[in-house]
Amino acid sequence: MNEMANEGILVLDFGGQYNQLIARRVREDHVYCEVHPSTMPLSEIERMAPKGIILTGGPNSVYKADSATCDPKLFSLGIPVLGICYGSQLMAHLLGGTVKTAPTSEYGKTVVSLVPAASGSKLFQGVDAETVCWMSHTDYIEQAPEGFVVTAETPVCPVAAMENAERKLYATQFHPEVMHTAQGKRMLKNFVYDVCGCKGDWRMGDFIARTVEKLRAKIGSGRALCALSGGVDSSVAAVLLSKAIGKQLTCVFVDHGLLRKDEGDQVESVFGEGGSYDLQFVRVNAKDRFYAKLKGVTEPERKRKIIGEEFIRVFEEEAKKIGAVDYLVQGTIYPDVIESGLGNSATIKSHHNVGGLPDYVDFKEIVEPLRLLFKDEVREVGRELGLPDYLVNRQPFPGPGLGIRIIGEVTEEKVKIVQEADAIYREEVAKAGADKNLGQYFAALTNMRSVGVMGDGRTYDYAIALRAVMTSDFMTAESAQLPWAVLQKTTSRIVNEVKGVNRVLYDCTGKPPATIEFE
């Protein structure tokens, strides 16, 4: 492919929620993968010469006039193609099959049965005859195109998978890329290795070398300002930029007063003077400024927009003090991008460093070197760069901070409450060793006040909600079953030690239908 010496897989994006997740799964098998729009010209695809092509899911119906499509000649290039969900229907539609609205839609975990024709299928080698897969479709392939054999079915989906092995064309109605498809990783590996003939010689170090080279070429002799929060994403972005441009980079840490307890001082101790890294570091204490902007604001998206814009304004001011800064660097990662509405994907919420940006930003360009990576991939980059484990494994924390863990209006009093409750919760979970398999855990302040009794007196105080989830990619998550003893101890300490709280709740909701954060 055009940016690598190694073999590669091309993903053509038709606007589904899991598109970059496909690329991530391929990269897990040590094969380089890029995502490009479905409108990519056939000539450009031929020039890239990928070892294989994957067509993603999407929100539309292939038989509608305005739906995303591709050149039918794609299927005659001799390059193996795997169509997933919408991609499978598009393959069928363009090659003469029949796609219609399904009499019965399928959503969620579904038992898929392989048919006898699948016994020699390269895609399903080592896959059980009945396997749980993730379905999400209202249309279905009623009739496979000529030359294709059906390889899998469900009671209501006659073509759950099909293939034309001679032409190296494969299709699945289900999503093999999501974790809910029990043997999906095996299917993708079969496609990449056995169908496409990849060897698996790509490593994350290749990503680092290529990214550093790109950053040097892009920024040249210019100067960059890095939005450093101290979290793993912005820290990895900062070290990548430092490796690329050295002293041309200034890292600005904005303490907006919405950080976890004592976190501002911790960040400064790591990155500031006397810290572990040779960075130009500036700390801006802007608590009062952010609180004033948020006064009276309760709507979640408006809070995010306000915090995002104020971040940018602070950076602009710091850039003017530094002088002639061309680029703003952010630690945006892929779940931030997709939830903020990338391409044809639905907007779930605006992230301060994606959808929260104002229309006018006083920088030549915003640089986001990690925007195509998932959290665990970012951690891997951090380890490759030599960052210490305590920083690489740090709990995720959103850019808007506690502003979106406080339901309703943000006040200094509420920030203090949630800081103290969160510190107790994290301390008790870590002390019990219950944090080992958790993707994220934190305390949030609900906007609910309820009656309680303390010391024979009536109280009317806030309820704290505790959240803990298990996830590998932050696109989906399951609520963690924390030990009851940990929850009891945490609850007891919070209601006794945190003024203004008389009730503690535990959030048992997964993602979907909830998001990991509260707002």
Side-chain angles (χ1 to χ4, degrees), residues 235-298:
S235 297
V236 170
V239 176
L240 267 176
L241 263 294
S242 178
K243 191 176 179 70
I245 62 172
K247 294 296 185 182
Q248 294 164 238
L249 173 69
T250 299
C251 293
V252 175
F253 167 54
V254 177
D255 186 347
H256 49 20
L258 301 169
L259 298 170
R260 288 171 287 202
K261 185 177 180 181
D262 300 328
E263 196 160 44
D265 294 339
Q266 292 169 5
V267 171
E268 186 168 7
S269 70
V270 172
F271 290 99
E273 189 175 346
S276 307
Y277 304 102
D278 185 22
L279 299 170
Q280 297 188 64
F281 177 84
V282 177
R283 177 176 178 174
V284 183
N285 294 305
K287 177 181 75 172
D288 294 340
R289 176 173 174 169
F290 277 83
Y291 288 176
K293 288 281 186 179
L294 291 167
K295 184 175 177 59
V297 178
T298 60

Side-chain angles (χ1 to χ4, degrees), residues 209-222:
R210 190 173 61 256
T211 300
V212 167
E213 185 180 335
K214 279 184 181 178
L215 291 169
R216 282 182 184 145
K218 176 188 285 290
I219 296 172
S221 60

